[in-house]
Structures are given as C-alpha cells and as structure tokens.
Amino acid sequence: RSILYARWGYKGDPFYMRVGSLTAAPIGHGFIMWQYSNEAEYDKRRFGVVLDLDLDHVGIETGLSDVGNVDLFGGRLYVRPLFSLDIPVLSNLELAGSAVADLNPDNNKTLLYTCK
C-alpha cells in the first residue's frame, strides 16, 4: 500500500511507462479518453499500465485499467509523414487512429437479482 505507482519517463518523452495506480491518464489529445483514473475504490487497488513509445515518424500510446481484471483498455497509433522536413508546424502533423473499449461500463460484475 505504500507504493502507489512506478514510472519511467514523462508523458511526451520518447519512452514513457507507468504501472500501478493511474491518475489523469489520457490517450492522445484526450478526445476519447481524458483524465482517466483507476483509483475509484481505495480498498480495491488496481495494477494499471500506460505505455507510450515515440519513434519520431511513428508512435503508439496504450492504456490498460487493470492487468488482473481488464475493464478498460485502449490505444492510439500515429504516423508523422512530414517529420523529417523540419518545418515547425508541418513536421508535427499526425495521422492517427484511436480506440478505447470499456468492457464493463456499469461496473456490475455479478447479477444482483433475477426476474421470474
């Protein structure tokens, strides 16, 4: 309980990884997933993973809510076709695709009652 998370790098670095508790975790620019946290319940610790890899021309961002019990996962793959031009605005232009899936949106793992 004393270790909340472990992190390598910072968001925006060529390699960024965070394992453990996730707070304010976005994917991409935050249009699909913004400020995600897997800390909703204090007594139920989750082991989430965020992994970002930026290789200049291509990159990937991923997020996983809990390794043991996956509720939410997503990713973003992007390409910078004009990166080598070294033009301030055009070199950072990205063509990207993002997807996020919430496998249990109600957080309802068990059937509470049945109707007969």
Side-chain angles (χ1 to χ4, degrees), residues 3-64:
I3 298 174
L4 200 57
Y5 64 89
R7 182 191 67 189
W8 291 270
Y10 292 95
K11 191 77 170 166
D13 285 352
F15 178 76
Y16 170 71
M17 184 175 184
R18 180 174 173 151
V19 294
S21 176
L22 305 179
T23 55
I27 286 189
H29 301 287
F31 184 71
I32 294 178
M33 188 174 97
W34 178 252
Q35 300 291 330
Y36 174 74
S37 175
N38 66 351
E39 298 180 325
E41 300 174 42
Y42 179 75
D43 292 332
K44 185 180 177 186
R45 292 289 174 114
R46 293 175 177 233
F47 190 77
V49 177
V50 171
L51 176 65
D52 297 352
L53 186 60
D54 185 357
L55 301 174
D56 295 335
H57 288 282
V58 296
I60 189 167
E61 298 178 33
T62 62
L64 181 66

Side-chain angles (χ1 to χ4, degrees), residues 84-101:
S84 59
L85 292 180
D86 200 27
I87 300 172
V89 175
L90 293 179
S91 63
N92 290 327
L93 181 70
E94 296 177 354
L95 301 173
S98 300
V100 176

Side-chain angles (χ1 to χ4, degrees), residues 30 79-80 83 94 100 105:
V79 177
R80 292 187 194 115
F83 185 78
E94 296 177 354
V100 176

